[in-house]
Amino acid sequence: MLMKKLTTISCLLLVLSSLTACGQAHANVTTTRKTLHLMQDSELTSLDTSNTATLTQWNVLQQSMEGLYRMNAQNKVVGAMATKVVKPTNHGKTYTFHLRRNAKWSNGHTVTAKDFVTAWQRSVSATSTSGYSYIYEGIKNAAQISAGHKSVKSLGVTAVNKHTLKVTLSHAMPYLSKMLTMPAFFPQDHQVVSKYGKDYGTISTKMAYNGPFAVKGWNGTNDSWNLLKNTYYYDKSDIKLNKITMQVVKDSTTAHNLFSQNKLDDATVTGVTAQGVQNDSHLKHVSKAGTYYLRLNMQKNRALNNQYLRQALNLVLNKKTLTKNILSDGSTPAYNYVTPGLTTDPTTGKDFGTETQSTYRHNVAKAQVLWNKGLKQLGRSSVTLKLVSDDTTVAKNIDQFVQAAVAQNLKHAKVSVSAIPSKASGEAVTNGNYDLTYTLWLADYADPISFFDILTKNNPQNYGHYDDTVFNQQITAAHNQNATNTQSYWQNMRTAAKRLNQTAAVVPLYNMTESHLVNSNLNGVSYHAVGENDYTRAYFK
């Protein structure tokens, strides 16, 4: 899924001087406490999974909604709205789910099979703007519906009766159970959708929630909101908190200060701030199956359509310097689009992200040679690349790192930076008004195809317009004739990874490791490597 960034020496001194206060924070929290204070690093723009997909949105929905399945504390898929994890029939192409009869929405409505049909049809439609319609491909007729060639009613999802949902696939999808924990597959109260139409999810009151908490007080633009315990939740006895507060905190130093003042119980810190707390007793490193990278605009009218320029850009960036001196939060250099730790290749017994990583490393001399070749092919004497990013602290630090590396090490090259609010930067990327953008892909499920899908030719999230025949063929085969052939499937995966490295489809920067300052009395949080952190079963000891 989706984005993070330098400060100054004076900021470092400020951080170091406040470590004692940080170490004392949360020392006297009582055992009766029922409110958890959290942060998000970007704005909430919608709660409707059919029209938007952002990290903040999914983090909020992780606490307030549930799909057929969820991930438990042991990272195992377990039943949620479905009573249990089911085995497919019809050679892996038919799934029949029985819904909990006591599952209700926050408005008291019963959760029904029709709620899943409504949500999935809205999300797969040709008019959906979430960018996640592709995730349904493999469900019968999904691709044709998204392309506008078939009606949403032909989607392979049927409400057999009020509490029975049938899903029909066009081909076997062995990883479907992992996918069904994602917010993209959450249901939508069909009565609420019918009532509000295009306004569904635009504010917290134009929604219903079937998870442990219900969102309150979000008016569509404000930067703080609450989640209150859902009294209709089927497993409410397992929910210890009464309330979760959330506020947008874009600056790492601010996050640290709020934690020190007992105003946050879990604060994500980066850069100089993270440097200053590496020995703090509250620090928790959370490894995530995500890669931060530069998305490259490869449209034909853009300079980075040229492969030599893309390769040069990859080689000119010293990723060790980035992770050690700028991020300093436990993140590691990335030499692959697919992050290490995602999954093991069962045919080799090796970590997939490691076995397929690129052999290319920081090499300024080679970068200049490649850049010159690219300029010659383009018939240009120089190129200025437009870097568009969010206006968060981490993004600005990445911008400065890229801009400086190019200016100092590549002749006839320049990077101009535009750091703007996330909504505006998202629009710029969607409209193709950029050359580079700093972004994150966080695996939706533990399979490399979760990374690869968004770089296929017709994927709606392929905002860089990467189009490579060899790569596309490998992913198509993996989804179709090789889906249940383990040897062939993983050969497709390895070939696809190699092709991305050869063509410099993206510029990997670093593997995702979050540095959290966590209240020492906070327990029960599931920090998932794949997917969003789950605070629903949290409690204070």
Side-chain angles (χ1 to χ4, degrees), residues 34 66 211-213 229-230 233 235-243 535-539:
K34 297 289 187 178
E66 279 190 355
F213 295 89
K229 187 174 181 177
N230 179 9
Y233 182 56
D235 194 24
K236 64 180 179 180
S237 62
D238 200 33
I239 308 304
K240 309 305 179 186
L241 297 172
N242 289 334
K243 181 179 179 179
Y535 295 89
T536 62
R537 270 69 180 173
Y539 62 94

Side-chain angles (χ1 to χ4, degrees), residues 320-394:
K320 287 185 177 180
T321 297
L322 171 64
T323 55
K324 181 180 179 181
N325 299 337
I326 297 176
L327 297 171
S328 303
D329 58 0
S331 298
T332 56
Y335 301 106
N336 202 356
Y337 176 50
V338 178
T339 186
L342 173 71
T343 191
T344 298
D345 180 341
T347 64
T348 64
K350 299 177 181 178
D351 178 86
F352 182 84
T354 302
E355 73 172 343
T356 60
Q357 69 179 1
S358 171
T359 58
Y360 301 125
R361 295 295 184 271
H362 179 232
N363 188 325
V364 171
K366 188 172 182 179
Q368 187 66 65
V369 171
L370 290 167
W371 189 263
N372 291 342
K373 284 185 177 181
L375 290 179
K376 186 175 181 180
Q377 281 191 346
L378 293 173
R380 298 171 65 171
S381 59
S382 66
V383 163
T384 297
L385 300 174
K386 181 180 181 179
L387 195 165
V388 173
S389 76
D390 289 357
D391 58 352
T392 60
T393 302
V394 179

Side-chain angles (χ1 to χ4, degrees), residues 84-152:
K84 64 179 182 180
V85 177
V86 302
K87 292 184 179 180
T89 57
N90 187 28
H91 306 290
K93 293 192 291 185
T94 302
Y95 289 76
T96 303
F97 304 95
H98 298 285
L99 306 186
R100 296 180 187 273
R101 293 181 178 272
N102 62 340
K104 292 183 179 296
W105 293 97
S106 55
N107 56 17
H109 294 166
T110 298
V111 177
T112 67
K114 187 175 180 180
D115 296 330
F116 283 93
V117 174
T118 296
W120 295 14
Q121 286 182 349
R122 290 184 74 237
S123 294
V124 80
S125 73
T127 59
S128 172
T129 55
S130 70
Y132 258 85
S133 58
Y134 79 91
I135 206 75
Y136 289 87
E137 290 187 13
I139 297 177
K140 185 179 178 181
N141 293 329
Q144 297 94 318
I145 295 167
S146 295
H149 301 318
K150 286 193 174 184
S151 165
V152 294

Side-chain angles (χ1 to χ4, degrees), residues 203-415:
I203 60 177
S204 59
T205 54
K206 293 183 178 181
M207 280 275 294
Y209 309 89
N210 69 327
F213 295 89
V215 182
K216 302 290 184 181
W218 181 65
N219 63 17
T221 59
N222 53 324
D223 285 344
S224 64
W225 55 90
N226 298 321
L227 291 89
L228 303 184
K229 187 174 181 177
N230 179 9
T231 57
Y232 287 103
Y233 182 56
Y234 71 91
D235 194 24
K236 64 180 179 180
S237 62
D238 200 33
I239 308 304
K240 309 305 179 186
L241 297 172
N242 289 334
K243 181 179 179 179
I244 299 175
T245 70
M246 287 188 178
Q247 60 180 301
V248 177
V249 182
K250 296 182 180 182
D251 180 71
S252 192
T253 302
T254 301
H256 172 267
N257 290 338
L258 289 171
F259 180 82
S260 300
Q261 297 163 16
N262 295 333
K263 294 179 180 179
L264 286 176
D265 295 302
D266 188 332
T268 306
V269 294
T270 56
V272 173
T273 310
Q275 273 184 314
V277 299
Q278 286 303 302
N279 295 319
D280 191 281
S281 61
H282 295 95
L283 182 67
K284 179 181 179 64
H285 282 141
V286 178
S287 296
K288 291 284 189 177
T291 303
Y292 285 95
Y293 64 98
L294 293 179
R295 177 187 286 130
L296 313 177
N297 189 347
M298 289 168 271
Q299 289 178 289
K300 290 184 179 180
N301 63 328
R302 292 285 175 172
L304 292 179
N305 179 257
N306 185 278
Q307 182 171 306
Y308 286 133
L309 296 192
R310 300 198 303 269
Q311 292 170 333
L313 190 62
N314 186 42
L315 291 177
V316 81
L317 302 179
N318 190 332
K319 299 163 189 180
K320 287 185 177 180
T321 297
L322 171 64
T323 55
K324 181 180 179 181
N325 299 337
I326 297 176
L327 297 171
S328 303
D329 58 0
S331 298
T332 56
Y335 301 106
N336 202 356
Y337 176 50
V338 178
T339 186
L342 173 71
T343 191
T344 298
D345 180 341
T347 64
T348 64
K350 299 177 181 178
D351 178 86
F352 182 84
T354 302
E355 73 172 343
T356 60
Q357 69 179 1
S358 171
T359 58
Y360 301 125
R361 295 295 184 271
H362 179 232
N363 188 325
V364 171
K366 188 172 182 179
Q368 187 66 65
V369 171
L370 290 167
W371 189 263
N372 291 342
K373 284 185 177 181
L375 290 179
K376 186 175 181 180
Q377 281 191 346
L378 293 173
R380 298 171 65 171
S381 59
S382 66
V383 163
T384 297
L385 300 174
K386 181 180 181 179
L387 195 165
V388 173
S389 76
D390 289 357
D391 58 352
T392 60
T393 302
V394 179
K396 291 177 181 178
N397 294 339
I398 297 295
D399 295 347
Q400 293 171 13
F401 164 75
V402 173
Q403 187 177 47
V406 170
Q408 295 167 13
N409 298 305
L410 273 184
K411 296 178 180 179
H412 316 299
K414 186 179 179 180
V415 171

